[in-house]
Amino acid sequence: MGGEMLPPDEAGPDDVVLAWQGADVVAVRLPQLADSLDHILAAMERKRGKPLADLDRKAKQEVVRILEARGAFSVRHGVETVASALGVSRFTVYNYLNRDKA
């Protein structure tokens, strides 16, 4: 997901501080959701062994289903980011999303 561990005393207001037996031991700084989407897309490319844009239509539809389940489209510009990674238009991504709901 791209989180970063840091000493608890360096934690900011948005960081998550983890404690063990009552003592703060580590803080975790989570990336912004948009950064997480980039990490997810990169992981999907690594798993498939090629750029997402090189996948066939059925595989791209599967990618969109997985990303929707992970909340990728609740991120600002999520559809645009995914469309760019898949090498398709925003309209095509919306079609893939709507196809699953029909």
Side-chain angles (χ1 to χ4, degrees):
M1 179 179 233
E4 172 187 0
M5 294 190 312
L6 52 143
D9 59 334
E10 293 180 21
D14 294 330
D15 298 332
V16 178
V17 178
L18 304 176
W20 176 257
Q21 297 181 344
D24 293 341
V25 292
V26 68
V28 179
R29 180 164 295 152
L30 298 174
Q32 298 296 318
L33 286 175
D35 294 335
S36 295
L37 180 54
D38 290 336
H39 287 289
I40 292 168
L41 290 167
M44 294 179 95
E45 282 190 344
R46 281 191 305 275
K47 181 179 178 183
R48 285 168 172 73
K50 61 181 170 180
L52 297 177
D54 292 346
L55 300 174
D56 63 21
R57 184 175 51 118
K58 187 174 181 179
K60 288 179 182 183
Q61 289 170 338
E62 175 67 18
V63 166
V64 169
R65 279 194 293 278
I66 292 168
L67 292 171
E68 182 180 29
R70 291 185 175 184
F73 301 111
S74 61
V75 176
R76 184 179 173 147
H77 303 298
V79 171
E80 292 86 350
T81 301
V82 171
S84 177
L86 293 175
V88 299
S89 68
R90 290 179 341 170
F91 181 75
T92 299
V93 172
Y94 284 118
N95 281 338
Y96 292 168
L97 290 167
N98 290 331
R99 171 175 234 177
D100 287 339
K101 294 177 183 169

